[in-house]
Amino acid sequence: MNLKSKKIETIAIHAGLGHESGSRAVVPPLELSTNYVHDERGYQEGDFIYTRDKNPNRLQLENLLASLEMGEACAAFSSGVAALSVVFQALDEGSHILLPNDLYHGTRNLLKKYVQRWGISYSFTNMTDMDVVKEDVRKNTRMIFVETPSNPMLHITDVEKMCNFAKSIKALVCVDNTWPTPMNLNPIYYGADLVMHSTTKYLAGHSDILGGAIIAAKKDEFFERISEIQKGQGAVPSPRDCWLLSRSIRSFPYRMRGHNENAMKVAEYLAEHPKVREVYYPGLPDHPGHDIARSQMSGFGGMISFLYDGDAKETLSVVAKTKLITRATSLGGVESTWEHRRSSESEDSTTPENLIRLSVGLEHIDDLIKDLSQALGKK
Ligand SMILES: *Cc1c(COP(=O)(O)O)cnc(C)c1O
């Protein structure tokens, strides 16, 4: 079926439903076999031979993710950070990566601990200002890595402007699309070369699968490198995880709508609360990135950060008061979670000590507001 002209709700359901197994099952079966019987020609590159190289459930998932992101190819991984390591490792030795100042702390840790050993350098810049970005690129900048909204401060980067600029200096753009998801942002549409995901979050959506992916706009030589490292270093997801993730993705657009809708209402509630000093949510009209977010995104996502009117200890005690909202890290589940973000990050974290990061789930909005109200105090 040609899904190119179809909408995301349709793609999410049908791009993962191949009927090539011959069993006539409506839903693709889970195939756990690690190896496949050779035919009389012996080992044939490209066939199903051994599960690390290729297996039906991973292939289905990769086709589904590529379609969702409007890319030509996808490589699935066992986690988001595995996907990140591969996308960095695929660069030539001597390359430089430019990243945003505000960034998922796991990406920062990965850079700090491993990337230099691969002969790759990196630096950070303010991606909300293209003039600053232009000053901060280096002669050997080969990749610009974007996170928008960023984690945990929700800074917004203009993806189209960034991609146009990157093309002029022959650098690749890789967007971590974990937070906005393809429901709210399509980086490839704006010119990104690569999209990276922690599928652990919204795509899985139920806090029970760890996974990652890289989607490439073009099935080119750089993607071949990614694909080779995927198979050769073996940080691949199991068929069971691929099957379950594909299952979850079928309802993901509708979940994402609910996250967008609830988060907008929660952000509006928090913005008016006297115990809240500041709310970071790009859907609020006074957010500095609101206009860009509105033009490039179709929804503002389910993540909100805000500053509580108190010190670290008082902030931690508020986080402990909710009954419905679970005190936990990570994000993107159907259940709402929140955390004192600084405690989850490494010692050199610059996240404000009174920042609470909230992943707004799919509970009824009235119940969420009630829970927030008893934790923060009535207005
Ligand atoms: C969670 C997360 C990652 C890392 O993914 P894992 O699946 O935990 O390895 C990367 N980027 C962002 C924005 C994330 O939220």
Side-chain angles (χ1 to χ4, degrees), residues 23-80:
S23 78
R24 305 179 74 208
V26 169
V27 170
L30 169 59
E31 210 166 295
L32 292 173
S33 184
T34 54
N35 46 355
Y36 290 80
V37 181
H38 286 167
D39 64 15
E40 62 280 0
R41 301 165 302 163
Y43 183 99
Q44 290 289 318
E45 191 92 12
D47 289 346
F48 292 121
I49 305 278
Y50 185 59
T51 193
R52 171 156 44 76
D53 292 339
K54 191 160 115 178
N55 66 65
N57 294 111
R58 194 169 88 217
L59 199 59
Q60 276 151 2
L61 173 67
E62 289 172 342
N63 289 339
L64 171 59
L65 290 170
S67 302
L68 283 178
E69 287 289 3
M70 314 199 297
E72 284 184 3
C74 168
F77 294 90
S78 52
S79 71

Side-chain angles (χ1 to χ4, degrees), residues 78-82 84 104 106-107 147 151 176 178-179 196-201 210-212 330-331 357:
S78 52
S79 71
V81 291
L84 284 167
Y104 168 62
T107 310
E147 215 183 84
N151 182 356
D176 183 338
T178 303
W179 278 31
M196 173 263 149
H197 272 284
S198 165
T199 55
T200 314
K201 314 296 167 54
L210 185 73
S330 197
L331 57 113
R357 199 189 74 175

Side-chain angles (χ1 to χ4, degrees), residues 129-146:
D129 188 338
M130 284 307 299
D131 293 332
V132 177
V133 171
K134 285 173 189 169
E135 267 173 34
D136 285 351
V137 288
R138 300 184 186 167
K139 273 204 190 72
N140 59 338
T141 302
R142 285 291 154 264
M143 180 174 282
I144 299 181
F145 188 88
V146 175

Side-chain angles (χ1 to χ4, degrees), residues 203-356:
L203 293 173
H206 297 74
S207 312
D208 56 7
I209 315 166
L210 185 73
I214 300 165
I215 296 100
K218 295 264 171 285
K219 197 172 179 180
D220 57 9
E221 190 256 343
F222 194 77
F223 180 77
E224 284 312 316
R225 287 190 197 185
I226 288 171
S227 175
E228 246 171 56
I229 306 175
Q230 177 204 33
K231 298 173 172 80
Q233 294 191 1
V236 290
S238 70
R240 204 186 295 272
D241 282 351
C242 294
W243 181 88
L244 190 57
L245 180 55
S246 302
R247 203 274 298 253
S248 297
I249 289 174
R250 286 177 211 137
S251 58
F252 137 79
Y254 286 90
R255 279 189 278 111
M256 209 56 217
R257 280 189 194 166
H259 289 292
N260 287 341
E261 199 181 299
N262 271 356
M264 190 69 222
K265 289 182 181 147
V266 168
E268 281 165 354
Y269 167 83
L270 291 171
E272 299 280 304
H273 200 287
K275 293 298 284 178
V276 173
R277 274 195 212 149
E278 213 159 333
V279 182
Y280 306 115
Y281 186 68
L284 294 174
D286 61 355
H287 185 285
H290 176 70
D291 289 342
I292 296 169
R294 209 178 46 187
S295 72
Q296 72 187 12
M297 297 172 82
S298 48
F300 300 106
M303 295 302 296
I304 302 172
S305 290
F306 65 96
L307 301 181
Y308 180 68
D309 187 21
D311 59 18
K313 208 166 145 238
E314 288 162 325
T315 308
L316 272 160
S317 87
V318 167
V319 172
K321 275 188 195 150
T322 44
K323 299 194 166 76
L324 200 58
I325 301 173
T326 308
R327 208 176 352 153
T329 193
S330 197
L331 57 113
V334 291
E335 70 291 346
S336 294
T337 55
W338 71 352
E339 66 175 328
H340 177 246
R341 186 60 189 164
R342 179 88 164 251
S343 316
S344 287
E345 298 184 335
S346 34
E347 273 158 27
D348 57 357
S349 158
T350 55
T351 298
E353 60 161 19
N354 58 339
L355 184 137
I356 298 175

